[in-house]
Amino acid sequence: MTEPFDASISSSDYLALARKRHRTGTSRLSEELAWMLGDAAYDCGLNKEHVDILIDPINWSAAVRDENRKPRVFLHARINQKGNAEINWAARGDLEILYDEDFLARYAVAARSSHSVPWRSLGELMWWRGYELLVNDVITHKSLTAAALLYAHAARLKELASFLARHVNLVGAIALNFTYRDGEVTAADFVPTIPPDRLQELIQERERRTASRLREAVERIVPKE
């Protein structure tokens, strides 16, 4: 039986539990994932340098600084084609909630680029290698070590959102939600932490802002009769 995820337990404590279980050999982890527990400095894929860049006012737009406010950020998460999880604030695709006007143009562009720095994007704050494999170890193989490691990642994502909320205007985020049946995990899904209607408002607001900027750009290019 797998204990339910406890949001009051820190990611470091969950990592310590996963390492303890792994050492006993009673609940093994896939070899492709064991490196996470062997690396004492592993922090659930957090890219602290990218987080520091995001919260540094030097990268915020003049409007944000002049108005003495914090930039708006939505913390997004998705699983890529390779089964890795990407946690970012400059999401592309269907759930594109980006307040690029709150940041310097060059930073916003770099954050949206998939390779703005070697192999990664400045908009990516966490990267979970082998996420789908980890979930499979939990659900299919009932590995308690994998469960503790997965919970560590869920806790770290929650901690990241809490940290960002103190430094930027976090308008919404994605959390890792678990479904249980008969005491076992049956699903692990990324879900928004805000109500569906509020999420739709943010998406529609983004579409309106984008359309408005496009109109303004066209008006600057096309001379008026």
Side-chain angles (χ1 to χ4, degrees), residues 121-140:
S121 163
L122 280 178
E124 188 177 273
L125 305 182
M126 299 179 77
W127 182 65
W128 297 348
R129 178 181 173 185
Y131 172 77
E132 286 191 333
L133 179 59
L134 178 58
V135 172
N136 183 65
D137 267 7
V138 175
I139 296 176
T140 304

Side-chain angles (χ1 to χ4, degrees), residues 24-82:
T24 64
T26 57
S27 177
R28 302 300 293 177
L29 190 68
S30 296
E31 291 183 5
E32 298 93 327
L33 303 173
W35 66 271
M36 299 179 189
L37 301 182
D39 183 356
Y42 184 68
D43 194 13
C44 298
L46 179 72
N47 192 323
K48 189 177 184 302
E49 181 181 359
H50 289 189
V51 174
D52 289 342
I53 292 173
L54 172 61
I55 66 174
D56 190 342
I58 198 173
N59 297 306
W60 303 353
S61 70
V64 166
R65 296 196 301 270
D66 291 345
E67 295 168 12
N68 194 28
R69 63 180 177 87
K70 298 176 180 178
R72 294 159 292 181
V73 171
F74 185 91
L75 186 62
H76 181 57
R78 77 179 189 98
I79 304 172
N80 65 24
Q81 294 179 341
K82 295 183 178 180

Side-chain angles (χ1 to χ4, degrees), residues 5-7 9-11 14 44 126 128 131 134 147-161 174-178 188-190:
F5 173 67
D6 187 342
I9 298 177
S10 69
S11 58
Y14 268 127
C44 298
M126 299 179 77
W128 297 348
Y131 172 77
L134 178 58
L149 184 56
L150 183 60
Y151 287 173
H153 286 77
R156 197 68 183 99
L157 178 57
K158 182 177 181 294
E159 291 162 359
L160 172 61
I174 298 293
L176 193 53
N177 183 66
F178 299 99
D189 303 295
F190 288 115

Side-chain angles (χ1 to χ4, degrees), residues 100-120:
D100 42 357
E101 64 269 27
D102 284 2
F103 299 91
L104 294 181
R106 64 176 180 272
Y107 174 48
V109 170
R112 296 187 68 188
S113 172
S114 58
H115 295 99
S116 51
V117 292
W119 307 112
R120 303 256 60 89

